[in-house]
Amino acid sequence: MGLNCVRPVDPLCAVIPRDVGLDASPIRDSRLPIIFLIGGSGAGKCLLNSTQCLRVAKHYGFCAMISKELLRSEITTGSQRGIILAYLMSEDKLIPADVMVQLIIRKMLQELKTTRGFLLSGFPREKLQCQHFDRQIRPPDLVLYLYVRNTLLIDRVLARTITVTERQETGSFDKHWKRIKEQGRMNKFVLKYYKKRLVVIDGEKEEAEVFQDICNAIDSVLKEFPSTSGGNG
């Protein structure tokens, strides 16, 4: 199942219920740090990003927000929006940018009084999501890009894919390779859009080294947020 993927928008997107009047001003007024953690597509990256996101969030007392988990949470409600999102995800179709940002806003508002900042993993996936987020909330303070070569991404994906026949292996490889290449193309627009806030992290290092590099980048930004610097140990 694809999550928040980069394929053409489905006509059903127009009838997804929106949160009309959702007010993000408390998030802006809080002046809490907002950090994006993004990377290449594929199960290997998702595992790496999610693992690092949760670990870093715990270290700093941040709210960890993983895009695929926000979508899954909405689906479990059984709402009309959740039903449509489940269909779009099952078809590897693009989740509308405004809907994705509204899910993020709602989660941020829920956690606003108990967190020291927000760390978003797997978002944004494309330029339009960047624009919606900046307009409805505000630009992030830092964008971390976990760089992993496409060839290593596909290795990580296939290592987690159990296949029975050679035909299934070939189909699985082609599907995942296409997705990795397409997401890499979309990432270029995101990285260019946020180039002044971007720090590239070598995601091919050992997990502990990746964590330390992420923390070093965050510490540099948190100098502007004295109450949050230093982490929770």
Coordinates of all heavy atoms in Angstrom, one line a residue, residues 37 46-69 107 118-122 146 207 211 214-215 218 232-233:
L37 N 11.5 16.1 8.7 CA 12.5 15.1 8.5 C 12.0 14.3 7.3 O 11.0 13.6 7.3 CB 12.6 14.2 9.7 CG 13.6 13.0 9.6 CD1 15.0 13.5 9.4 CD2 13.5 12.1 10.8
C46 N 11.3 4.6 5.1 CA 10.2 4.9 6.1 C 10.6 4.4 7.5 O 10.4 5.0 8.5 CB 8.9 4.2 5.7 SG 8.2 4.9 4.2
L47 N 11.2 3.2 7.5 CA 11.7 2.6 8.8 C 12.8 3.5 9.4 O 12.7 3.8 10.6 CB 12.2 1.2 8.6 CG 12.7 0.5 9.8 CD1 11.6 0.3 10.9 CD2 13.3 -0.9 9.5
L48 N 13.7 3.9 8.6 CA 14.8 4.8 9.1 C 14.3 6.1 9.6 O 14.6 6.5 10.7 CB 15.8 5.0 8.0 CG 17.0 6.0 8.3 CD1 17.8 5.5 9.5 CD2 17.8 6.2 7.1
N49 N 13.4 6.8 8.8 CA 12.9 8.1 9.2 C 12.0 7.9 10.4 O 12.1 8.8 11.4 CB 12.1 8.6 8.0 CG 12.9 9.5 7.1 OD1 14.1 9.3 7.0 ND2 12.2 10.4 6.5
S50 N 11.2 6.9 10.5 CA 10.3 6.8 11.6 C 11.1 6.5 12.9 O 10.8 7.1 14.0 CB 9.3 5.7 11.4 OG 8.5 5.9 10.3
T51 N 12.1 5.6 12.8 CA 12.9 5.3 14.0 C 13.6 6.6 14.5 O 13.6 6.9 15.7 CB 14.0 4.3 13.6 OG1 13.3 3.1 13.2 CG2 14.8 3.9 14.8
Q52 N 14.2 7.3 13.6 CA 15.0 8.5 14.0 C 14.0 9.6 14.5 O 14.3 10.3 15.5 CB 15.8 9.1 12.8 CG 16.9 8.2 12.4 CD 18.0 8.1 13.4 OE1 18.1 8.9 14.4 NE2 19.0 7.2 13.2
C53 N 12.8 9.7 13.9 CA 11.8 10.7 14.3 C 11.4 10.5 15.7 O 11.4 11.4 16.5 CB 10.6 10.6 13.3 SG 9.3 11.8 13.8
L54 N 11.1 9.2 16.1 CA 10.7 8.9 17.4 C 11.8 9.1 18.4 O 11.6 9.6 19.5 CB 10.1 7.5 17.5 CG 8.9 7.2 16.7 CD1 8.6 5.7 16.6 CD2 7.7 8.0 17.2
R55 N 13.0 8.7 18.1 CA 14.1 8.8 19.0 C 14.5 10.3 19.2 O 14.7 10.7 20.4 CB 15.3 8.1 18.4 CG 16.5 8.1 19.3 CD 17.7 7.3 18.7 NE 18.8 7.3 19.6 CZ 20.0 6.8 19.3 NH1 20.2 6.2 18.1 NH2 21.0 6.9 20.1
V56 N 14.5 11.1 18.1 CA 14.8 12.5 18.3 C 13.7 13.3 19.0 O 14.0 14.1 19.9 CB 15.1 13.1 16.9 CG1 15.2 14.7 17.0 CG2 16.3 12.5 16.2
A57 N 12.5 12.9 18.7 CA 11.4 13.6 19.4 C 11.4 13.4 20.9 O 11.2 14.3 21.7 CB 10.1 13.1 18.8
K58 N 11.7 12.1 21.3 CA 11.8 11.8 22.7 C 13.0 12.6 23.4 O 12.9 13.1 24.5 CB 12.1 10.3 22.9 CG 12.1 9.9 24.4 CD 12.3 8.3 24.5 CE 12.4 7.9 25.9 NZ 12.6 6.4 26.1
H59 N 14.1 12.7 22.6 CA 15.3 13.4 23.2 C 15.0 14.8 23.5 O 15.5 15.4 24.5 CB 16.4 13.3 22.1 CG 17.7 14.0 22.5 ND1 18.5 13.5 23.5 CD2 18.3 15.1 22.0 CE1 19.6 14.3 23.6 NE2 19.4 15.3 22.8
Y60 N 14.2 15.5 22.6 CA 14.0 16.9 22.8 C 12.6 17.2 23.4 O 12.3 18.4 23.6 CB 14.1 17.6 21.4 CG 15.5 17.7 20.9 CD1 15.9 16.8 19.9 CD2 16.3 18.7 21.3 CE1 17.2 16.9 19.4 CE2 17.6 18.8 20.8 CZ 18.1 17.8 19.9 OH 19.4 17.9 19.4
G61 N 11.8 16.2 23.6 CA 10.5 16.5 24.2 C 9.5 17.1 23.1 O 8.6 17.8 23.4
F62 N 9.8 16.7 21.9 CA 9.0 17.1 20.7 C 7.8 16.2 20.5 O 7.9 15.0 20.9 CB 9.8 17.2 19.4 CG 10.8 18.3 19.4 CD1 11.8 18.4 18.4 CD2 10.8 19.3 20.4 CE1 12.7 19.4 18.3 CE2 11.8 20.3 20.3 CZ 12.7 20.4 19.3
C63 N 6.8 16.7 19.8 CA 5.7 15.8 19.3 C 6.2 15.2 18.0 O 6.4 15.9 17.0 CB 4.5 16.6 19.1 SG 3.1 15.7 18.3
A64 N 6.3 13.9 17.9 CA 6.6 13.2 16.7 C 5.4 13.0 15.8 O 4.4 12.4 16.3 CB 7.3 11.8 17.0
M65 N 5.4 13.5 14.6 CA 4.2 13.3 13.7 C 4.7 12.6 12.4 O 5.4 13.2 11.6 CB 3.6 14.7 13.4 CG 3.2 15.4 14.7 SD 2.7 17.1 14.4 CE 1.3 16.8 13.3
I66 N 4.3 11.4 12.2 CA 4.6 10.6 11.1 C 3.4 10.6 10.1 O 2.3 10.2 10.5 CB 5.0 9.2 11.5 CG1 6.2 9.2 12.5 CG2 5.3 8.3 10.3 CD1 6.6 7.9 13.1
S67 N 3.6 11.1 8.9 CA 2.5 11.4 8.0 C 1.7 10.1 7.8 O 0.4 10.2 7.8 CB 3.0 11.9 6.7 OG 3.9 11.0 6.1
K68 N 2.3 9.0 7.6 CA 1.5 7.8 7.3 C 0.6 7.4 8.5 O -0.5 6.9 8.4 CB 2.4 6.6 6.9 CG 3.4 6.2 8.0 CD 4.3 5.0 7.6 CE 5.2 4.6 8.6 NZ 6.1 3.5 8.2
E69 N 1.1 7.7 9.8 CA 0.3 7.4 10.9 C -0.9 8.3 11.1 O -1.9 7.9 11.6 CB 1.2 7.5 12.2 CG 2.4 6.4 12.2 CD 1.9 5.0 12.1 OE1 0.7 4.7 12.6 OE2 2.6 4.2 11.6
K107 N -3.6 17.7 14.6 CA -2.7 17.0 15.6 C -1.9 18.0 16.4 O -1.7 17.9 17.6 CB -1.8 16.0 14.8 CG -0.8 15.3 15.7 CD -1.5 14.4 16.6 CE -0.5 13.5 17.4 NZ -1.1 12.6 18.4
F118 N 7.7 20.4 17.3 CA 7.1 19.5 16.4 C 8.1 18.9 15.4 O 8.8 19.7 14.8 CB 5.9 20.1 15.6 CG 4.8 20.6 16.5 CD1 4.7 22.0 16.9 CD2 3.8 19.7 17.0 CE1 3.7 22.4 17.7 CE2 2.8 20.2 17.8 CZ 2.8 21.5 18.2
L119 N 8.1 17.6 15.3 CA 9.0 16.9 14.3 C 8.2 16.1 13.4 O 7.5 15.1 13.9 CB 10.0 16.1 15.1 CG 11.1 15.3 14.2 CD1 12.0 16.3 13.5 CD2 11.9 14.4 15.1
L120 N 8.1 16.5 12.1 CA 7.3 15.8 11.1 C 8.1 14.9 10.3 O 9.1 15.4 9.6 CB 6.5 16.8 10.3 CG 5.3 17.5 10.9 CD1 5.7 18.5 12.0 CD2 4.5 18.3 9.8
S121 N 7.8 13.7 10.2 CA 8.5 12.7 9.3 C 7.6 12.3 8.1 O 6.4 12.1 8.3 CB 8.8 11.4 10.1 OG 9.4 10.4 9.3
G122 N 8.3 12.3 7.0 CA 7.6 11.9 5.7 C 6.7 13.0 5.1 O 5.9 12.8 4.3
L146 N 17.4 13.1 4.9 CA 18.2 11.9 5.0 C 18.5 11.4 3.7 O 17.6 10.7 3.0 CB 17.5 10.9 5.9 CG 17.8 10.9 7.4 CD1 17.3 12.2 8.0 CD2 17.1 9.8 8.1
E207 N 23.1 4.0 12.5 CA 22.0 4.6 13.1 C 22.4 5.6 14.1 O 21.8 6.7 14.2 CB 21.0 3.6 13.6 CG 19.7 4.2 14.1 CD 18.7 3.1 14.6 OE1 18.5 2.1 13.8 OE2 18.1 3.3 15.6
F211 N 21.7 9.7 14.1 CA 21.0 10.4 15.2 C 21.8 11.6 15.7 O 21.3 12.7 15.9 CB 20.8 9.4 16.3 CG 20.3 10.0 17.6 CD1 18.9 10.4 17.7 CD2 21.1 10.2 18.7 CE1 18.5 11.0 18.9 CE2 20.6 10.8 19.9 CZ 19.3 11.2 19.9
I214 N 21.7 14.4 13.2 CA 20.4 15.1 13.3 C 20.4 16.1 14.5 O 20.0 17.2 14.4 CB 19.3 14.1 13.4 CG1 19.1 13.4 12.0 CG2 18.0 14.8 13.7 CD1 18.1 12.2 12.1
C215 N 20.8 15.6 15.6 CA 20.8 16.4 16.8 C 21.7 17.6 16.7 O 21.4 18.7 17.2 CB 21.3 15.5 18.0 SG 20.1 14.3 18.6
I218 N 19.8 20.1 14.7 CA 18.7 20.7 15.5 C 19.2 21.6 16.6 O 18.7 22.7 16.8 CB 17.9 19.6 16.1 CG1 17.1 18.8 15.0 CG2 16.9 20.1 17.2 CD1 16.3 17.6 15.5
N232 N 16.2 16.5 26.3 CA 15.8 15.8 27.6 C 16.7 14.8 28.0 O 16.5 14.0 28.9 CB 14.4 15.2 27.4 CG 13.3 16.3 27.5 OD1 13.5 17.4 27.8 ND2 12.1 15.9 27.1
G233 N 17.9 14.7 27.3 CA 18.9 13.7 27.7 C 18.7 12.4 27.0 O 17.8 12.2 26.3

